[in-house]
Amino acid sequence: DQQVKQNSPSLSVQEGRISILNCDYTNSMFDYFLWYKKYPAEGPTFLISISSIKDKNEDGRFTVFLNKSAKHLSLHIVPSQPGDSAVYFCAASARRDDKIIFGKGTRLHILP
Amino acid sequence: NAGVTQTPKFRILKIGQSMTLQCAQDMNHNYMYWYRQDPGMGLKLIYYSVGAGITDKGEVPNGYNVSRSTTEDFPLRLELAAPSQTSVYFCASKLRGSGSGVRAFFGQGTRLTVV
């Protein structure tokens, strides 16, 4: 039973345009959501997070939107740059046990 | 600070052999995690620990054991290696709390092949 779902295995976006990565979750106990970026042969690195009490969090080119009623979040990258080509993981955690549960990831390709 | 250090980086095991994947962090984090990443399957939580002496099962604990005798170290033990345990293993740690404390830091990974 997948609690965090990323239904798009890959996404291609033109350089300079907006990249939108989507994530759905099923567990209503999650109260923090995170996005991680991963390059080949490296560990995941933290990108941005959002608390369940907010609906938007912004950090430079990266913005995460949370729709609690739909159990959906999205990561927007504007403008997309070549260095953004990587695998992006959506993750969620609940304060009651502090497990961090990850989705399967979306591979983002930024096209020149 | 070195952050989260995993050793070894690569290992080939024969079926039935045992080994310990080492993980150490120098950030005084109380929470530590072990994940495995299979192709196209994302990161699956194996075990985690909220502090020294306390461990708990994650999503895929079968075939693995852990211990947490110190805050810094969280080794993962494979007792009887099986081909299904071929994967890339990641260790992570974080400080408990809200805001930036939620962020977990990851090691570089250990690529394990069981033949």
Side-chain angles (χ1 to χ4, degrees), chain A residues 32 36 38 43 46 97-98 100, chain B residues 31 33 35 48 94 99 104:
Chain A
Y32 260 101
Y36 280 81
K38 186 182 181 305
F46 172 80
D97 59 17
D98 275 293
I100 307 175
Chain B
Y31 285 24
Y33 304 83
Y35 291 89
Y48 70 111
K94 75 169 190 178

Side-chain angles (χ1 to χ4, degrees), chain B residues 7-14 17-22 77-78 81 85-89 109-115:
Chain B
T7 55
K9 287 189 169 42
F10 304 94
R11 182 74 186 267
I12 298 175
L13 272 186
K14 293 186 177 177
Q17 284 186 320
S18 61
M19 79 163 292
T20 300
L21 282 68
Q22 301 292 344
R77 178 92 178 151
L78 283 72
Q85 294 177 305
T86 293
S87 189
V88 181
Y89 291 83
T110 294
R111 183 175 294 276
L112 176 68
T113 303
V114 182
V115 295

Side-chain angles (χ1 to χ4, degrees), chain B:
Chain B
N1 283 355
V4 179
T5 302
Q6 291 184 237
T7 55
K9 287 189 169 42
F10 304 94
R11 182 74 186 267
I12 298 175
L13 272 186
K14 293 186 177 177
I15 294 172
Q17 284 186 320
S18 61
M19 79 163 292
T20 300
L21 282 68
Q22 301 292 344
C23 176
Q25 53 91 10
D26 61 358
M27 298 174 282
N28 205 29
H29 285 173
N30 39 5
Y31 285 24
M32 295 187 75
Y33 304 83
W34 273 108
Y35 291 89
R36 58 177 286 173
Q37 184 188 15
D38 301 324
M41 295 302 292
L43 292 157
K44 290 290 188 184
L45 180 63
I46 305 171
Y47 270 96
Y48 70 111
S49 167
V50 301
I54 306 169
T55 61
D56 226 328
K57 294 178 181 179
E59 301 169 281
V60 289
N62 291 346
Y64 306 93
N65 278 303
V66 292
S67 60
R68 183 97 183 270
S69 55
T70 66
T71 300
E72 294 78 21
D73 301 297
F74 191 40
L76 177 72
R77 178 92 178 151
L78 283 72
E79 290 294 349
L80 290 169
S84 61
Q85 294 177 305
T86 293
S87 189
V88 181
Y89 291 83
F90 290 101
C91 179
S93 72
K94 75 169 190 178
L95 201 58
R96 195 182 198 283
S98 60
S100 62
V102 175
R103 175 196 314 196
F105 294 81
F106 280 79
Q108 294 295 293
T110 294
R111 183 175 294 276
L112 176 68
T113 303
V114 182
V115 295

